[in-house]
Amino acid sequence: MEKVIRPTLSSRLKALALALLGVGLLLVGFSGYIFLPKLFPPSSNPTDYTSAVPASVNFPAPDLNLHDLQGNSIGLKSFVGKVVLMNNWATWCPPCRDEMPALEAYFNTHQAEGFVIYSVEDGEAASDVVAFVNTYHLTFQVMLDPTHLAYFAFNNPNLPNSYVVDRHGTVRLTWVGAINHQNLEKYLTPLLKE
């Protein structure tokens, strides 16, 4: 004859307590899912995100020559007399996508002051880059870099990364990470006044 093991009152209470604890945790999680977005709503400004802060540097701009989307060869050094933001990015890079609206807005605001963006896409097919440019409505200079020349010129594999070249061809600022509009105004705009 088999012996039947009956749960004791103590084990039943433990099981009930664990079940109640589980239900309570589910309710807390569900409440957080419902109420946290109302307490901390996302920003309505797509360029309002934490931005990298640039480092001050001082070295000559490298001799970097790439082709734009129309096949024209354009060198970074051809912009002497202008302030250039040289930005390395890729279509697949989330922080790169995040910063594009800020770069476009800053470019539209400051291009009349002699500001240029020399935007370097890191190795994707031209058709993918064109689709990206059209999606983000980019009007600044976009260069193709199928052999990663910018990586070798600046020795920086991180994306996005950016360099500000002053009107005399000297690299003055460098960023690693996405840039927001506020930091462009704070750090780059003073160089436009020089």
Side-chain angles (χ1 to χ4, degrees), residues 97-131:
R97 291 191 301 263
D98 289 345
E99 73 180 354
M100 287 300 161
L103 295 178
E104 180 65 24
Y106 189 85
F107 174 70
N108 287 328
T109 301
H110 294 284
Q111 65 179 326
E113 299 169 59
F115 173 68
V116 174
I117 294 180
Y118 188 82
S119 174
V120 179
E121 203 289 328
D122 188 48
E124 301 299 308
S127 58
D128 294 337
V129 178
V130 169

PDB file of all heavy atoms in Angstrom, residues 97-131:
ATOM      1  N   ARG A  97      21.952  57.635 -36.564  1.00  0.00           N
ATOM      2  CA  ARG A  97      20.609  58.044 -36.998  1.00  0.00           C
ATOM      3  C   ARG A  97      20.034  59.099 -36.064  1.00  0.00           C
ATOM      4  O   ARG A  97      19.391  60.048 -36.504  1.00  0.00           O
ATOM      5  CB  ARG A  97      19.687  56.823 -37.068  1.00  0.00           C
ATOM      6  CG  ARG A  97      20.048  55.860 -38.184  1.00  0.00           C
ATOM      7  CD  ARG A  97      18.976  54.812 -38.411  1.00  0.00           C
ATOM      8  NE  ARG A  97      18.699  53.997 -37.249  1.00  0.00           N
ATOM      9  CZ  ARG A  97      19.222  52.798 -37.017  1.00  0.00           C
ATOM     10  NH1 ARG A  97      20.068  52.272 -37.878  1.00  0.00           N
ATOM     11  NH2 ARG A  97      18.896  52.124 -35.947  1.00  0.00           N
ATOM     12  N   ASP A  98      20.288  58.942 -34.754  1.00  0.00           N
ATOM     13  CA  ASP A  98      19.766  59.899 -33.778  1.00  0.00           C
ATOM     14  C   ASP A  98      20.267  61.317 -34.028  1.00  0.00           C
ATOM     15  O   ASP A  98      19.537  62.284 -33.838  1.00  0.00           O
ATOM     16  CB  ASP A  98      20.156  59.489 -32.352  1.00  0.00           C
ATOM     17  CG  ASP A  98      19.414  58.268 -31.851  1.00  0.00           C
ATOM     18  OD1 ASP A  98      18.389  57.881 -32.469  1.00  0.00           O
ATOM     19  OD2 ASP A  98      19.860  57.691 -30.841  1.00  0.00           O
ATOM     20  N   GLU A  99      21.534  61.452 -34.419  1.00  0.00           N
ATOM     21  CA  GLU A  99      22.098  62.791 -34.545  1.00  0.00           C
ATOM     22  C   GLU A  99      21.800  63.470 -35.885  1.00  0.00           C
ATOM     23  O   GLU A  99      22.001  64.673 -36.020  1.00  0.00           O
ATOM     24  CB  GLU A  99      23.607  62.757 -34.308  1.00  0.00           C
ATOM     25  CG  GLU A  99      24.425  62.157 -35.421  1.00  0.00           C
ATOM     26  CD  GLU A  99      25.921  62.135 -35.159  1.00  0.00           C
ATOM     27  OE1 GLU A  99      26.396  62.683 -34.147  1.00  0.00           O
ATOM     28  OE2 GLU A  99      26.628  61.564 -36.002  1.00  0.00           O
ATOM     29  N   MET A 100      21.312  62.737 -36.874  1.00  0.00           N
ATOM     30  CA  MET A 100      21.095  63.331 -38.198  1.00  0.00           C
ATOM     31  C   MET A 100      20.150  64.541 -38.199  1.00  0.00           C
ATOM     32  O   MET A 100      20.457  65.551 -38.840  1.00  0.00           O
ATOM     33  CB  MET A 100      20.639  62.282 -39.205  1.00  0.00           C
ATOM     34  CG  MET A 100      21.731  61.335 -39.636  1.00  0.00           C
ATOM     35  SD  MET A 100      23.108  62.200 -40.419  1.00  0.00           S
ATOM     36  CE  MET A 100      24.398  60.987 -40.266  1.00  0.00           C
ATOM     37  N   PRO A 101      19.006  64.502 -37.500  1.00  0.00           N
ATOM     38  CA  PRO A 101      18.158  65.699 -37.489  1.00  0.00           C
ATOM     39  C   PRO A 101      18.858  66.918 -36.888  1.00  0.00           C
ATOM     40  O   PRO A 101      18.680  68.046 -37.362  1.00  0.00           O
ATOM     41  CB  PRO A 101      16.943  65.275 -36.657  1.00  0.00           C
ATOM     42  CG  PRO A 101      16.890  63.795 -36.806  1.00  0.00           C
ATOM     43  CD  PRO A 101      18.330  63.358 -36.865  1.00  0.00           C
ATOM     44  N   ALA A 102      19.671  66.702 -35.854  1.00  0.00           N
ATOM     45  CA  ALA A 102      20.405  67.817 -35.240  1.00  0.00           C
ATOM     46  C   ALA A 102      21.442  68.377 -36.206  1.00  0.00           C
ATOM     47  O   ALA A 102      21.605  69.600 -36.330  1.00  0.00           O
ATOM     48  CB  ALA A 102      21.077  67.365 -33.948  1.00  0.00           C
ATOM     49  N   LEU A 103      22.153  67.495 -36.900  1.00  0.00           N
ATOM     50  CA  LEU A 103      23.151  67.962 -37.872  1.00  0.00           C
ATOM     51  C   LEU A 103      22.479  68.743 -38.995  1.00  0.00           C
ATOM     52  O   LEU A 103      22.966  69.815 -39.391  1.00  0.00           O
ATOM     53  CB  LEU A 103      23.935  66.775 -38.444  1.00  0.00           C
ATOM     54  CG  LEU A 103      24.809  65.994 -37.466  1.00  0.00           C
ATOM     55  CD1 LEU A 103      25.472  64.821 -38.169  1.00  0.00           C
ATOM     56  CD2 LEU A 103      25.840  66.882 -36.807  1.00  0.00           C
ATOM     57  N   GLU A 104      21.372  68.236 -39.505  1.00  0.00           N
ATOM     58  CA  GLU A 104      20.653  68.915 -40.588  1.00  0.00           C
ATOM     59  C   GLU A 104      20.146  70.284 -40.129  1.00  0.00           C
ATOM     60  O   GLU A 104      20.292  71.282 -40.846  1.00  0.00           O
ATOM     61  CB  GLU A 104      19.495  68.053 -41.096  1.00  0.00           C
ATOM     62  CG  GLU A 104      18.687  68.675 -42.213  1.00  0.00           C
ATOM     63  CD  GLU A 104      19.466  68.876 -43.517  1.00  0.00           C
ATOM     64  OE1 GLU A 104      20.468  68.169 -43.753  1.00  0.00           O
ATOM     65  OE2 GLU A 104      19.057  69.756 -44.300  1.00  0.00           O
ATOM     66  N   ALA A 105      19.566  70.354 -38.937  1.00  0.00           N
ATOM     67  CA  ALA A 105      19.053  71.626 -38.422  1.00  0.00           C
ATOM     68  C   ALA A 105      20.182  72.632 -38.227  1.00  0.00           C
ATOM     69  O   ALA A 105      20.059  73.806 -38.587  1.00  0.00           O
ATOM     70  CB  ALA A 105      18.306  71.397 -37.110  1.00  0.00           C
ATOM     71  N   TYR A 106      21.299  72.185 -37.668  1.00  0.00           N
ATOM     72  CA  TYR A 106      22.438  73.086 -37.448  1.00  0.00           C
ATOM     73  C   TYR A 106      23.002  73.571 -38.779  1.00  0.00           C
ATOM     74  O   TYR A 106      23.304  74.749 -38.942  1.00  0.00           O
ATOM     75  CB  TYR A 106      23.519  72.384 -36.618  1.00  0.00           C
ATOM     76  CG  TYR A 106      24.598  73.335 -36.178  1.00  0.00           C
ATOM     77  CD1 TYR A 106      24.440  74.095 -35.023  1.00  0.00           C
ATOM     78  CD2 TYR A 106      25.759  73.494 -36.919  1.00  0.00           C
ATOM     79  CE1 TYR A 106      25.419  74.983 -34.624  1.00  0.00           C
ATOM     80  CE2 TYR A 106      26.746  74.375 -36.533  1.00  0.00           C
ATOM     81  CZ  TYR A 106      26.570  75.124 -35.374  1.00  0.00           C
ATOM     82  OH  TYR A 106      27.545  76.021 -34.993  1.00  0.00           O
ATOM     83  N   PHE A 107      23.116  72.670 -39.724  1.00  0.00           N
ATOM     84  CA  PHE A 107      23.604  73.044 -41.059  1.00  0.00           C
ATOM     85  C   PHE A 107      22.710  74.102 -41.690  1.00  0.00           C
ATOM     86  O   PHE A 107      23.195  75.110 -42.208  1.00  0.00           O
ATOM     87  CB  PHE A 107      23.682  71.804 -41.951  1.00  0.00           C
ATOM     88  CG  PHE A 107      24.043  72.100 -43.375  1.00  0.00           C
ATOM     89  CD1 PHE A 107      25.312  72.533 -43.719  1.00  0.00           C
ATOM     90  CD2 PHE A 107      23.100  71.957 -44.377  1.00  0.00           C
ATOM     91  CE1 PHE A 107      25.643  72.814 -45.036  1.00  0.00           C
ATOM     92  CE2 PHE A 107      23.418  72.230 -45.694  1.00  0.00           C
ATOM     93  CZ  PHE A 107      24.700  72.668 -46.027  1.00  0.00           C
ATOM     94  N   ASN A 108      21.401  73.892 -41.639  1.00  0.00           N
ATOM     95  CA  ASN A 108      20.481  74.860 -42.244  1.00  0.00           C
ATOM     96  C   ASN A 108      20.566  76.219 -41.575  1.00  0.00           C
ATOM     97  O   ASN A 108      20.429  77.248 -42.237  1.00  0.00           O
ATOM     98  CB  ASN A 108      19.042  74.327 -42.191  1.00  0.00           C
ATOM     99  CG  ASN A 108      18.831  73.208 -43.182  1.00  0.00           C
ATOM    100  OD1 ASN A 108      19.432  73.166 -44.242  1.00  0.00           O
ATOM    101  ND2 ASN A 108      17.991  72.256 -42.822  1.00  0.00           N
ATOM    102  N   THR A 109      20.817  76.245 -40.272  1.00  0.00           N
ATOM    103  CA  THR A 109      20.905  77.503 -39.535  1.00  0.00           C
ATOM    104  C   THR A 109      22.213  78.246 -39.821  1.00  0.00           C
ATOM    105  O   THR A 109      22.218  79.469 -39.885  1.00  0.00           O
ATOM    106  CB  THR A 109      20.785  77.236 -38.018  1.00  0.00           C
ATOM    107  OG1 THR A 109      19.542  76.594 -37.769  1.00  0.00           O
ATOM    108  CG2 THR A 109      20.869  78.514 -37.215  1.00  0.00           C
ATOM    109  N   HIS A 110      23.313  77.522 -40.018  1.00  0.00           N
ATOM    110  CA  HIS A 110      24.635  78.161 -40.042  1.00  0.00           C
ATOM    111  C   HIS A 110      25.379  78.095 -41.381  1.00  0.00           C
ATOM    112  O   HIS A 110      26.490  78.626 -41.472  1.00  0.00           O
ATOM    113  CB  HIS A 110      25.508  77.563 -38.940  1.00  0.00           C
ATOM    114  CG  HIS A 110      25.002  77.870 -37.568  1.00  0.00           C
ATOM    115  ND1 HIS A 110      25.160  79.101 -36.978  1.00  0.00           N
ATOM    116  CD2 HIS A 110      24.316  77.107 -36.684  1.00  0.00           C
ATOM    117  CE1 HIS A 110      24.604  79.092 -35.780  1.00  0.00           C
ATOM    118  NE2 HIS A 110      24.084  77.893 -35.577  1.00  0.00           N
ATOM    119  N   GLN A 111      24.817  77.501 -42.403  1.00  0.00           N
ATOM    120  CA  GLN A 111      25.580  77.386 -43.652  1.00  0.00           C
ATOM    121  C   GLN A 111      25.924  78.746 -44.253  1.00  0.00           C
ATOM    122  O   GLN A 111      26.983  78.900 -44.885  1.00  0.00           O
ATOM    123  CB  GLN A 111      24.858  76.495 -44.659  1.00  0.00           C
ATOM    124  CG  GLN A 111      23.541  77.017 -45.171  1.00  0.00           C
ATOM    125  CD  GLN A 111      22.918  76.069 -46.173  1.00  0.00           C
ATOM    126  OE1 GLN A 111      23.629  75.413 -46.931  1.00  0.00           O
ATOM    127  NE2 GLN A 111      21.606  75.976 -46.176  1.00  0.00           N
ATOM    128  N   ALA A 112      25.098  79.763 -44.038  1.00  0.00           N
ATOM    129  CA  ALA A 112      25.383  81.096 -44.578  1.00  0.00           C
ATOM    130  C   ALA A 112      26.583  81.754 -43.893  1.00  0.00           C
ATOM    131  O   ALA A 112      27.144  82.721 -44.409  1.00  0.00           O
ATOM    132  CB  ALA A 112      24.147  81.991 -44.438  1.00  0.00           C
ATOM    133  N   GLU A 113      27.007  81.200 -42.745  1.00  0.00           N
ATOM    134  CA  GLU A 113      28.159  81.725 -42.008  1.00  0.00           C
ATOM    135  C   GLU A 113      29.463  81.041 -42.425  1.00  0.00           C
ATOM    136  O   GLU A 113      30.483  81.189 -41.754  1.00  0.00           O
ATOM    137  CB  GLU A 113      27.939  81.543 -40.504  1.00  0.00           C
ATOM    138  CG  GLU A 113      26.722  82.284 -39.977  1.00  0.00           C
ATOM    139  CD  GLU A 113      26.401  81.857 -38.557  1.00  0.00           C
ATOM    140  OE1 GLU A 113      27.258  82.009 -37.665  1.00  0.00           O
ATOM    141  OE2 GLU A 113      25.283  81.346 -38.346  1.00  0.00           O
ATOM    142  N   GLY A 114      29.408  80.262 -43.489  1.00  0.00           N
ATOM    143  CA  GLY A 114      30.607  79.554 -43.936  1.00  0.00           C
ATOM    144  C   GLY A 114      30.780  78.218 -43.239  1.00  0.00           C
ATOM    145  O   GLY A 114      31.904  77.763 -43.029  1.00  0.00           O
ATOM    146  N   PHE A 115      29.665  77.567 -42.905  1.00  0.00           N
ATOM    147  CA  PHE A 115      29.714  76.269 -42.240  1.00  0.00           C
ATOM    148  C   PHE A 115      29.388  75.165 -43.240  1.00  0.00           C
ATOM    149  O   PHE A 115      28.447  75.289 -44.024  1.00  0.00           O
ATOM    150  CB  PHE A 115      28.715  76.233 -41.077  1.00  0.00           C
ATOM    151  CG  PHE A 115      28.597  74.876 -40.449  1.00  0.00           C
ATOM    152  CD1 PHE A 115      29.654  74.335 -39.736  1.00  0.00           C
ATOM    153  CD2 PHE A 115      27.435  74.136 -40.570  1.00  0.00           C
ATOM    154  CE1 PHE A 115      29.548  73.075 -39.161  1.00  0.00           C
ATOM    155  CE2 PHE A 115      27.321  72.880 -39.994  1.00  0.00           C
ATOM    156  CZ  PHE A 115      28.388  72.350 -39.287  1.00  0.00           C
ATOM    157  N   VAL A 116      30.162  74.079 -43.191  1.00  0.00           N
ATOM    158  CA  VAL A 116      30.002  72.946 -44.096  1.00  0.00           C
ATOM    159  C   VAL A 116      30.012  71.663 -43.276  1.00  0.00           C
ATOM    160  O   VAL A 116      30.758  71.553 -42.296  1.00  0.00           O
ATOM    161  CB  VAL A 116      31.171  72.897 -45.118  1.00  0.00           C
ATOM    162  CG1 VAL A 116      31.104  71.647 -45.971  1.00  0.00           C
ATOM    163  CG2 VAL A 116      31.203  74.133 -45.971  1.00  0.00           C
ATOM    164  N   ILE A 117      29.189  70.704 -43.667  1.00  0.00           N
ATOM    165  CA  ILE A 117      29.297  69.358 -43.102  1.00  0.00           C
ATOM    166  C   ILE A 117      29.852  68.447 -44.194  1.00  0.00           C
ATOM    167  O   ILE A 117      29.332  68.398 -45.302  1.00  0.00           O
ATOM    168  CB  ILE A 117      27.941  68.824 -42.603  1.00  0.00           C
ATOM    169  CG1 ILE A 117      27.445  69.660 -41.416  1.00  0.00           C
ATOM    170  CG2 ILE A 117      28.061  67.356 -42.184  1.00  0.00           C
ATOM    171  CD1 ILE A 117      26.116  69.216 -40.846  1.00  0.00           C
ATOM    172  N   TYR A 118      30.937  67.785 -43.872  1.00  0.00           N
ATOM    173  CA  TYR A 118      31.567  66.793 -44.740  1.00  0.00           C
ATOM    174  C   TYR A 118      31.242  65.459 -44.092  1.00  0.00           C
ATOM    175  O   TYR A 118      31.947  64.971 -43.221  1.00  0.00           O
ATOM    176  CB  TYR A 118      33.074  67.063 -44.783  1.00  0.00           C
ATOM    177  CG  TYR A 118      33.881  66.265 -45.773  1.00  0.00           C
ATOM    178  CD1 TYR A 118      33.954  66.650 -47.112  1.00  0.00           C
ATOM    179  CD2 TYR A 118      34.629  65.168 -45.372  1.00  0.00           C
ATOM    180  CE1 TYR A 118      34.745  65.943 -48.013  1.00  0.00           C
ATOM    181  CE2 TYR A 118      35.422  64.466 -46.267  1.00  0.00           C
ATOM    182  CZ  TYR A 118      35.472  64.857 -47.584  1.00  0.00           C
ATOM    183  OH  TYR A 118      36.271  64.167 -48.473  1.00  0.00           O
ATOM    184  N   SER A 119      30.121  64.892 -44.479  1.00  0.00           N
ATOM    185  CA  SER A 119      29.544  63.713 -43.842  1.00  0.00           C
ATOM    186  C   SER A 119      30.036  62.461 -44.557  1.00  0.00           C
ATOM    187  O   SER A 119      29.799  62.299 -45.748  1.00  0.00           O
ATOM    188  CB  SER A 119      28.019  63.837 -43.918  1.00  0.00           C
ATOM    189  OG  SER A 119      27.399  62.692 -43.460  1.00  0.00           O
ATOM    190  N   VAL A 120      30.689  61.579 -43.814  1.00  0.00           N
ATOM    191  CA  VAL A 120      31.332  60.402 -44.411  1.00  0.00           C
ATOM    192  C   VAL A 120      30.616  59.134 -43.960  1.00  0.00           C
ATOM    193  O   VAL A 120      30.654  58.773 -42.785  1.00  0.00           O
ATOM    194  CB  VAL A 120      32.822  60.343 -44.024  1.00  0.00           C
ATOM    195  CG1 VAL A 120      33.478  59.105 -44.625  1.00  0.00           C
ATOM    196  CG2 VAL A 120      33.538  61.618 -44.443  1.00  0.00           C
ATOM    197  N   GLU A 121      29.954  58.457 -44.900  1.00  0.00           N
ATOM    198  CA  GLU A 121      29.281  57.190 -44.599  1.00  0.00           C
ATOM    199  C   GLU A 121      30.301  56.062 -44.698  1.00  0.00           C
ATOM    200  O   GLU A 121      31.013  55.940 -45.670  1.00  0.00           O
ATOM    201  CB  GLU A 121      28.115  56.957 -45.559  1.00  0.00           C
ATOM    202  CG  GLU A 121      27.063  56.005 -45.017  1.00  0.00           C
ATOM    203  CD  GLU A 121      27.490  54.548 -44.929  1.00  0.00           C
ATOM    204  OE1 GLU A 121      28.293  54.103 -45.769  1.00  0.00           O
ATOM    205  OE2 GLU A 121      27.021  53.850 -44.024  1.00  0.00           O
ATOM    206  N   ASP A 122      30.334  55.235 -43.684  1.00  0.00           N
ATOM    207  CA  ASP A 122      31.397  54.246 -43.506  1.00  0.00           C
ATOM    208  C   ASP A 122      31.126  52.923 -44.208  1.00  0.00           C
ATOM    209  O   ASP A 122      30.792  51.923 -43.584  1.00  0.00           O
ATOM    210  CB  ASP A 122      31.595  54.005 -42.004  1.00  0.00           C
ATOM    211  CG  ASP A 122      32.791  53.141 -41.712  1.00  0.00           C
ATOM    212  OD1 ASP A 122      33.866  53.410 -42.261  1.00  0.00           O
ATOM    213  OD2 ASP A 122      32.646  52.178 -40.930  1.00  0.00           O
ATOM    214  N   GLY A 123      31.237  52.912 -45.538  1.00  0.00           N
ATOM    215  CA  GLY A 123      31.342  51.661 -46.274  1.00  0.00           C
ATOM    216  C   GLY A 123      30.096  51.008 -46.825  1.00  0.00           C
ATOM    217  O   GLY A 123      30.189  49.934 -47.402  1.00  0.00           O
ATOM    218  N   GLU A 124      28.914  51.591 -46.678  1.00  0.00           N
ATOM    219  CA  GLU A 124      27.703  50.970 -47.214  1.00  0.00           C
ATOM    220  C   GLU A 124      27.586  51.209 -48.722  1.00  0.00           C
ATOM    221  O   GLU A 124      28.213  52.118 -49.272  1.00  0.00           O
ATOM    222  CB  GLU A 124      26.457  51.528 -46.513  1.00  0.00           C
ATOM    223  CG  GLU A 124      26.448  51.318 -45.018  1.00  0.00           C
ATOM    224  CD  GLU A 124      26.478  49.862 -44.619  1.00  0.00           C
ATOM    225  OE1 GLU A 124      25.643  49.085 -45.123  1.00  0.00           O
ATOM    226  OE2 GLU A 124      27.344  49.496 -43.808  1.00  0.00           O
ATOM    227  N   ALA A 125      26.741  50.445 -49.361  1.00  0.00           N
ATOM    228  CA  ALA A 125      26.498  50.604 -50.795  1.00  0.00           C
ATOM    229  C   ALA A 125      25.857  51.967 -51.052  1.00  0.00           C
ATOM    230  O   ALA A 125      25.054  52.452 -50.246  1.00  0.00           O
ATOM    231  CB  ALA A 125      25.584  49.494 -51.300  1.00  0.00           C
ATOM    232  N   ALA A 126      26.196  52.554 -52.180  1.00  0.00           N
ATOM    233  CA  ALA A 126      25.672  53.884 -52.524  1.00  0.00           C
ATOM    234  C   ALA A 126      24.149  53.909 -52.509  1.00  0.00           C
ATOM    235  O   ALA A 126      23.542  54.887 -52.048  1.00  0.00           O
ATOM    236  CB  ALA A 126      26.201  54.314 -53.887  1.00  0.00           C
ATOM    237  N   SER A 127      23.491  52.844 -52.962  1.00  0.00           N
ATOM    238  CA  SER A 127      22.024  52.826 -52.983  1.00  0.00           C
ATOM    239  C   SER A 127      21.446  52.897 -51.565  1.00  0.00           C
ATOM    240  O   SER A 127      20.435  53.560 -51.330  1.00  0.00           O
ATOM    241  CB  SER A 127      21.515  51.581 -53.703  1.00  0.00           C
ATOM    242  OG  SER A 127      22.003  50.410 -53.063  1.00  0.00           O
ATOM    243  N   ASP A 128      22.103  52.237 -50.601  1.00  0.00           N
ATOM    244  CA  ASP A 128      21.654  52.306 -49.209  1.00  0.00           C
ATOM    245  C   ASP A 128      21.847  53.707 -48.637  1.00  0.00           C
ATOM    246  O   ASP A 128      21.013  54.211 -47.891  1.00  0.00           O
ATOM    247  CB  ASP A 128      22.413  51.299 -48.335  1.00  0.00           C
ATOM    248  CG  ASP A 128      22.109  49.857 -48.693  1.00  0.00           C
ATOM    249  OD1 ASP A 128      21.034  49.601 -49.280  1.00  0.00           O
ATOM    250  OD2 ASP A 128      22.950  48.986 -48.391  1.00  0.00           O
ATOM    251  N   VAL A 129      22.958  54.330 -48.998  1.00  0.00           N
ATOM    252  CA  VAL A 129      23.244  55.681 -48.505  1.00  0.00           C
ATOM    253  C   VAL A 129      22.246  56.676 -49.089  1.00  0.00           C
ATOM    254  O   VAL A 129      21.720  57.540 -48.378  1.00  0.00           O
ATOM    255  CB  VAL A 129      24.699  56.087 -48.815  1.00  0.00           C
ATOM    256  CG1 VAL A 129      24.978  57.508 -48.334  1.00  0.00           C
ATOM    257  CG2 VAL A 129      25.677  55.102 -48.182  1.00  0.00           C
ATOM    258  N   VAL A 130      21.947  56.554 -50.367  1.00  0.00           N
ATOM    259  CA  VAL A 130      20.965  57.443 -51.010  1.00  0.00           C
ATOM    260  C   VAL A 130      19.600  57.288 -50.346  1.00  0.00           C
ATOM    261  O   VAL A 130      18.917  58.285 -50.051  1.00  0.00           O
ATOM    262  CB  VAL A 130      20.884  57.172 -52.528  1.00  0.00           C
ATOM    263  CG1 VAL A 130      19.694  57.878 -53.149  1.00  0.00           C
ATOM    264  CG2 VAL A 130      22.181  57.610 -53.213  1.00  0.00           C
ATOM    265  N   ALA A 131      19.194  56.061 -50.065  1.00  0.00           N
ATOM    266  CA  ALA A 131      17.909  55.831 -49.395  1.00  0.00           C
ATOM    267  C   ALA A 131      17.899  56.488 -48.011  1.00  0.00           C
ATOM    268  O   ALA A 131      16.916  57.114 -47.612  1.00  0.00           O
ATOM    269  CB  ALA A 131      17.630  54.338 -49.279  1.00  0.00           C
TER     270      ALA A 131
END
